[in-house]
């Protein structure tokens, strides 16, 4: 076995690789950018080396730098994880030249699969079904248009160097072809520096089913069954599972065979995934699957395969890299139970899935039977704009698909992510969706069900806001208590003892708060049981509340509601009796009187501030008028209902007319 590994990656996958490397006894060497000095993967590794600025281009994508660090740290091998440099032949060649083992395929195999069109041509030659279309060298618009016509609309224009759905356009009608081609080329150029495209028949009701394969340097190649990744948003995987719903023995046989053929054709070594598009329109049939591409690395969704096979794919990667034979023969690899994975992202489904950044004020993941969480962050960490905003992967395993989905739903219920926006509520809705439960997922499902999945602006969760208000009020009370204690400079001040205010006297106050950016009044009732808030007529609901600076954020059903105090003090609205007497709403101390006798006041103007119940309450005038009497002075203790001041209302002719009629 190898003795040390440099992990040329960050986040969740770096942590994942470190975990297995350690159990195999490898010394683990992490690399980090400026943005990752305190990252989890850095803390977990045996040693960590700085590789440059936050921008990935200047750090995690710098091949020369990575190899230099690997040499200096005397790393015996480099594990690239996925993304970043994982499919860059230059890293493989550079490693080999430096005498370092690359945990992955030989550069030639990587190159052969790196171009979608070359890979397709190779596969077609090897007898693996490919989607009808054109994947040759010619790129003139008129020629490509002619090929699209021959293929038959709808077609997909795809970047030859594509990945992550970039540079891909669907064309339904011939008339739209030129515009779509130009857009695909532009995107391909900016994403991959290669504007070449290919044409492919667009499959209706497409399902994405991929086969995990493994090969060693002794001529052995096996498959580890399929994963279904049909739940996609804009060609990006959202939920992955194994086995594929509705998979038949015949189709599995055909697809796994094709995948192993694909691997052997290019002289593959290590872990790889052969992706197929499957025509789901007529049910799963052996004449309806087509090779899409091969990913020459570990896949994000590899945990579902690990759960249903009970194998550690990273361990297999290290063994193959060390020159060992595959640990198992094909017949010894068994598929058991069902596993489903969802990707938790820092993004806002209610705002077009805009990536969201910021500090993770709270982060809590589920635990339990059959639940696995792969993450690269911890509470207090920052989600930065520099890298992929994935927070974690949540994987549920159970004997049946239904149970696995049930476990996943519960696991999502038990997940708390406070800080950046996240897709937890969206994922929960997805897992609950009848079509998902029935296993009727095609790649267009999520787009069609956008509103059922809550991926559009939703109303404020006032019940959760009310819970946050309660926390806010409790915090203000304890702050007041602290201040009072300091001021009175004695341990048993009557003003920090709860009984001094008689909690037996229930009362209600309104607070001005800011909920998700909007000023709102919250009603708060104090009684013997404590503090009870309501907002917009909705009572508070039991949910997690987290302090984030001055704000309190409620976490309820996978969504966050942020509440800020509008003013540090409360605004009391019910203190004026019919005679124009402003009276104390409760026992308390007059902190300040903000008007003088004879002064004109207008509605809403602040009159007196009273400290009571360990909070400051501003009493405001409910009408326009004049102060006729001030009955107290600052510093006075006042009893509940004690007269504070008197206001004489303005005489309004309109009023008297209205009253008469
Ligand atoms: P990328 O490498 O950019 O991710 P792929 O070729 O792997 O592109 O395709 C990504 C996704 O696009 C697939 O999972 C599928 O949802 C969709 N797709 C690709 N090819 C087709 C096709 N011929 N017909 C319908 N959908 C397709």
């Amino acid at each position: 076995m190898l003795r040390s590994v440099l992990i040329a990656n960050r986040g969740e996958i770096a942590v994942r690789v470190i975990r297995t490397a350690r159990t195999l006894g490898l010394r683990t060497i992490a690399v980090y950018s400026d943005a990752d000095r305190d990252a989890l993967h850095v803390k977990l590794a045996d040693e960590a080396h700085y590789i440059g600025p936050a921008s990935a281009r200047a750090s995690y994508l710098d091949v020369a730098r990575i190899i230099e660090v690997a040499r200096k740290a005397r790393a015996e091998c480099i594990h690239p994880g996925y993304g970043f440099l994982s499919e860059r032949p230059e890293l493989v060649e550079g490693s080999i030249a430096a005498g370092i083992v690359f945990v992955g395929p030989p550069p030639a195999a990587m190159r052969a699969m790196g171009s979608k069109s070359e890979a397709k041509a190779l596969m077609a030659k090897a007898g693996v079904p490919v989607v009808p279309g054109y994947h040759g060298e010619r790129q003139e618009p008129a020629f490509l248009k002619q090929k699209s016509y021959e293929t038959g609309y709808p077609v997909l224009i795809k970047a030859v160097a594509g990945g992550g759905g970039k540079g891909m356009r669907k064309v339904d009608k011939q008339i739209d072809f030129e515009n779509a081609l130009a857009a695909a080329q532009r995107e391909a150029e900016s994403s991959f520096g290669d504007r070449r495209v290919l044409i492919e028949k667009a499959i209706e009701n497409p399902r994405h089913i991929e086969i995990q394969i493994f090969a060693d340097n002794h001529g052995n190649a096996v498959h580890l069954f399929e994963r279904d990744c049909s739940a996609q948003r804009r060609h990006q995987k959202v939920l992955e599972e194994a086995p594929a719903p509705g998979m038949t023995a015949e189709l599995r046989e055909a697809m796994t065979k094709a995948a192993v053929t694909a691997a052997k054709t290019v002289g593959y070594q290590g872990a790889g995934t052969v992706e197929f598009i499957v025509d789901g329109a007529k049910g799963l049939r052996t004449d309806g699957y087509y090779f899409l591409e091969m990913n020459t690395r570990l896949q994000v969704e590899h945990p579902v395969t690990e759960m249903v096979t009970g194998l550690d794919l990273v361990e297999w990667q290290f063994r193959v890299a060390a020159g060992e034979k595959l640990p198992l023969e094909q017949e010894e690899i068994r598929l058991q139970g069902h596993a489903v994975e969802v990707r938790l992202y820092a993004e806002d489904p209610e705002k077009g899935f805009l990536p969201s950044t910021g500090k993770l004020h709270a982060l809590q993941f589920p635990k339990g039977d059959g639940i696995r969480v792969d993450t690269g962050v911890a509470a207090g960490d920052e989600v930065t704009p520099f890298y992929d905003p994935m927070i974690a992967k949540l994987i549920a395993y159970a004997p049946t698909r239904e149970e696995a989905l049930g476990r996943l739903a519960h696991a999502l219920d038990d997940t708390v992510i406070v800080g950046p926006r996240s897709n937890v509520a969206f994922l929960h809705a997805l897992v609950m969706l009848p079509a998902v439960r029935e296993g009727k997922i095609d790649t267009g499902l999520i787009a069609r069900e956008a509103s059922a999945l809550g991926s559009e602006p939703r109303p404020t969760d006032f019940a959760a806001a009310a819970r946050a208000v309660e926390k806010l009020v409790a915090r203000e009370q304890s702050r007041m208590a602290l201040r009072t204690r300091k001021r009175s400079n004695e341990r048993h001040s009557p003003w920090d003892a709860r009984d001094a205010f008689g909690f037996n006297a229930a009362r209600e106050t309104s607070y001005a708060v800011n909920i998700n950016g909007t000023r709102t009044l919250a009603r708060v009732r104090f009684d013997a049981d404590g503090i009870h808030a309501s907002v917009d007529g909705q009572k508070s609901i039991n949910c997690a509340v987290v302090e984030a600076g001055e704000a309190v954020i409620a976490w309820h059903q996978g969504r966050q509601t942020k509440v800020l105090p509008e003013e540090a003090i409360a605004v009391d609205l019910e203190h004026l009796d019919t005679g124009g007497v402003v009276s104390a709403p409760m026992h308390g101390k007059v902190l300040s009187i903000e008007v003088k006798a004879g002064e004109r006041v207008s509605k809403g103007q602040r009159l007196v501030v009273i400290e009571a119940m360990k909070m400051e309450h501003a009493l405001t005038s409910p009408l326009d008028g004049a102060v006729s009497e001030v009955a107290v002075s600052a510093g006075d203790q006042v009893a509940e209902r004690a007269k504070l001041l008197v206001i004489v209302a303005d005489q309004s002719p309109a009023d008297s007319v209205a009253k008469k009629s």
Side-chain angles (χ1 to χ4, degrees), residues 186-206:
R186 265 198 312 274
E187 217 169 281
E189 173 76 52
S190 71
S191 302
F192 315 109
D194 180 349
R195 48 192 284 119
R196 288 177 304 150
V197 297
L198 59 88
I199 305 293
E200 218 173 76
K201 175 106 190 138
I203 306 292
E204 308 285 349
N205 289 87

Side-chain angles (χ1 to χ4, degrees), residues 343-540:
R343 302 182 183 191
L344 299 186
Y345 268 98
E347 62 185 14
D348 191 350
E350 294 178 46
K351 289 204 184 108
F353 293 86
L354 210 69
S356 185
T357 56
K359 187 181 164 131
L360 290 157
H361 295 292
L363 187 64
Q364 183 189 300
F365 290 123
K367 288 194 182 77
D369 271 358
I371 296 298
R372 166 172 167 183
V373 180
D374 281 19
T375 187
V377 288
D381 285 356
E382 194 94 18
V383 177
T384 71
F386 303 109
Y387 317 111
D388 183 72
M390 189 163 78
I391 297 171
K393 302 185 304 206
L394 218 68
I395 307 109
Y397 174 81
T400 67
R401 182 172 190 270
E402 203 181 319
E403 290 166 276
L405 285 170
R407 278 188 175 165
L408 190 55
H410 281 299
L412 285 161
D413 275 336
D414 293 343
T415 300
V416 177
I417 302 173
V418 174
R421 299 275 145 178
S422 75
N423 63 348
V424 172
F426 167 80
L427 292 175
H428 191 270
L430 180 66
V431 169
M432 301 306 284
L433 204 67
V436 170
R437 291 288 168 145
E438 291 157 24
K440 291 184 183 143
I441 309 177
D442 66 72
T443 61
L445 177 75
I446 287 178
R448 288 196 304 274
E449 299 283 353
S451 73
L453 296 173
S455 55
E456 51 190 33
R458 289 163 66 188
T460 306
D461 187 343
F462 288 118
R467 178 70 195 92
V469 168
E470 289 169 354
K471 171 94 176 171
L472 206 65
V473 170
R475 184 182 72 188
E476 291 307 316
Q477 282 191 331
S478 54
R479 282 184 182 170
M480 282 293 301
L482 253 170
R483 262 184 273 154
T484 315
R485 200 174 301 145
K486 276 189 193 138
R487 258 205 307 271
S488 62
N489 209 13
E490 59 184 58
R491 288 189 61 173
H492 295 291
S493 157
W495 307 109
D496 75 7
R498 280 172 180 249
D499 55 7
F501 299 105
F503 258 85
N504 46 3
R507 52 172 238 96
E508 255 182 67
T509 300
S510 290
Y511 288 85
V513 289
N514 182 304
I515 302 175
N516 289 347
T518 306
R519 190 189 153 96
T520 313
L521 277 186
R523 302 282 310 169
V524 181
R525 184 182 152 80
F526 299 87
D527 65 21
D529 307 331
I531 303 164
H532 312 276
S534 64
V535 181
D536 203 44
Q538 292 190 43
K539 288 200 176 110
S540 83

Side-chain angles (χ1 to χ4, degrees), residues 201-231:
K201 175 106 190 138
I203 306 292
E204 308 285 349
N205 289 87
R207 283 179 62 179
H208 174 116
I209 300 179
E210 58 189 32
I211 308 290
Q212 175 71 51
I213 62 97
F214 245 100
D216 62 22
N217 343 345
H218 305 274
N220 304 305
V222 297
H223 70 82
L224 278 66
F225 306 98
E226 78 278 4
R227 291 185 289 260
D228 190 324
C229 315
S230 301

Side-chain angles (χ1 to χ4, degrees), residues 116 120 131 156 158 162-166 168 200-204 206 208 229 232 235 275 277 292-293 443:
K116 278 194 205 295
K120 283 197 169 105
V131 189
L156 278 181
K158 283 189 187 178
K166 292 205 183 79
M168 198 187 294
E200 218 173 76
K201 175 106 190 138
I203 306 292
E204 308 285 349
H208 174 116
C229 315
Q232 300 184 348
H235 305 304
E275 297 190 331
I277 188 106
L292 264 188
E293 64 170 346
T443 61

